[in-house]
Amino acid sequence: MTGIDPETGEFAHLFHPRHDPWSHHFVVEGVYIIGLSATGRATVQVLDLNDVRRLELREQILKGADSD
């Protein structure tokens, strides 16, 4: 599967969790997932990983983890 890298406008393969090391393609900043590579950026965009609802859920999860 492919998507378009929003930085370059070119096609990029989407992240494959069995083949691609997560840390090569993404970093977490607060509740945001940031794509580091063309694969990461395309995956973030295609899967809408920083949708408002997902950000709210990650924030709740992080708050719950802080209280443990």
Side-chain angles (χ1 to χ4, degrees):
M1 293 186 65
T2 62
I4 296 177
D5 176 2
E7 190 172 295
T8 66
E10 297 188 13
F11 285 101
H13 290 282
L14 296 184
F15 176 75
H16 190 296
R18 291 188 180 177
H19 300 157
D20 299 326
W22 198 90
S23 61
H24 290 186
H25 301 285
F26 307 100
V27 65
V28 176
E29 293 183 5
V31 294
Y32 290 89
I33 296 175
I34 308 299
L36 299 175
S37 65
T39 292
R41 292 185 296 269
T43 301
V44 168
Q45 182 174 356
V46 168
L47 299 181
D48 204 8
L49 295 179
N50 291 316
D51 173 74
V52 172
R53 293 167 294 178
R54 289 189 171 130
L55 297 176
E56 290 170 351
L57 178 59
R58 281 187 215 126
E59 187 172 26
Q60 290 175 358
I61 290 169
L62 289 172
K63 284 181 183 176
D66 289 343
S67 65
D68 290 344

